[in-house]
Amino acid sequence: MTTTDTAVLLDTTVAAGDGWTGEIPAGGRLRIVDLCGNQAVDTLFFDAHEYTNRYSAVDTVREQGAVYLTTGSVLMSTGLDPLATIVDDTCGRHDTLGGACAQESNVVRYGEHTRHQHACRTTFVRQAMAWGRGLDKRDITHNVNFFMNVPLTPDGGLTFEDGVSAPGKYVELRAERDILVVVSNCPQLNNPCNGYDPTPVRLLGWSA
């Protein structure tokens, strides 16, 4: 999108394993750019004025009738309010079922030796505590995994596969109300979601 008649809200690079938290006003845009390709970006969405009204994977999947997100997908809240709409997507598919990696799930999936590896859940908790303003670790529930490839198996299971993104691919969202966004640029080393080599991403934002 162009910046004509808009104001730049942010332009920042988030290192692998790091996070970012900020507000996007209603009508504003957020673009997430996969700089090096094959990088998962775990993202939480909240109504900026009521954090309990947060992104719901269940309601989003039901309302759109699809388990993957792409252009036209509307991210729904627990209160059935539209939080954001994907308005541009050069990747084509994003996961809304796989959840965020955590130290506990790493141990279950990959073994005891991964217990102390950094994980998205840890980043989310740190970001929530740093933001404050009523946001608490209890508010960390469903998240979107942008650029992450998590196919469903015929029996309803999930598998983690090589990503379908590439360097420079991006996804752009329009805020449908004032929203709070919390990003964890995934540090996962044990499955192909990051190509076993986590890399930085760029965040760009514009107001309406």
Side-chain angles (χ1 to χ4, degrees):
M1 68 178 283
T2 67
T3 56
T4 303
D5 299 324
T6 65
V8 176
L9 294 174
L10 73 145
D11 183 350
T12 188
T13 298
V14 182
D18 204 351
W20 176 86
T21 303
E23 294 182 352
I24 305 294
R29 304 286 186 99
L30 172 66
R31 179 181 291 186
I32 305 172
V33 184
D34 188 1
L35 292 174
C36 302
N38 214 27
Q39 174 64 25
V41 185
D42 294 33
T43 310
L44 301 166
F45 295 89
F46 303 86
D47 182 322
H49 305 291
E50 180 52 70
Y51 295 154
T52 59
N53 192 27
R54 51 189 176 252
Y55 168 73
S56 168
V58 173
D59 295 301
T60 298
V61 169
R62 185 190 63 246
E63 291 300 309
Q64 72 169 356
V67 296
Y68 305 116
L69 304 176
T70 187
T71 304
S73 296
V74 180
L75 308 186
M76 302 297 293
S77 75
T78 52
L80 299 182
D81 297 308
L83 294 174
T85 300
I86 297 178
V87 294
D88 196 3
D89 178 19
T90 62
C91 177
R93 188 164 101 168
H94 307 274
D95 169 63
T96 192
L97 297 179
C101 60
Q103 292 175 319
E104 296 80 4
S105 62
N106 280 345
V107 169
V108 171
R109 289 170 176 162
Y110 311 114
E112 183 65 32
H113 68 283
T114 67
R115 178 172 296 279
H116 299 293
Q117 291 181 0
H118 188 60
C120 285
R121 173 78 184 181
T122 305
T123 299
F124 282 149
V125 171
R126 288 176 179 172
Q127 289 291 313
M129 296 299 97
W131 181 259
R133 309 181 205 185
L135 188 66
D136 188 84
K137 64 182 180 180
R138 290 172 294 184
D139 295 309
I140 301 170
T141 56
H142 298 166
N143 66 280
V144 176
N145 294 311
F146 289 112
F147 310 113
M148 190 167 171
N149 185 21
V150 185
L152 279 171
T153 64
D155 62 356
L158 299 175
T159 59
F160 297 91
E161 304 292 346
D162 287 335
V164 294
S165 186
K169 297 283 188 180
Y170 65 84
V171 58
E172 187 170 315
L173 301 103
R174 179 184 65 232
E176 301 300 346
R177 60 204 307 111
D178 296 341
I179 59 174
L180 177 71
V181 181
V182 184
V183 168
S184 170
N185 192 22
C186 184
Q188 182 60 254
L189 296 167
N190 304 291
N191 70 51
C193 69
N194 295 326
Y196 304 102
D197 180 25
T199 52
V201 297
R202 185 182 183 189
L203 305 180
L204 299 165
W206 300 267
S207 66

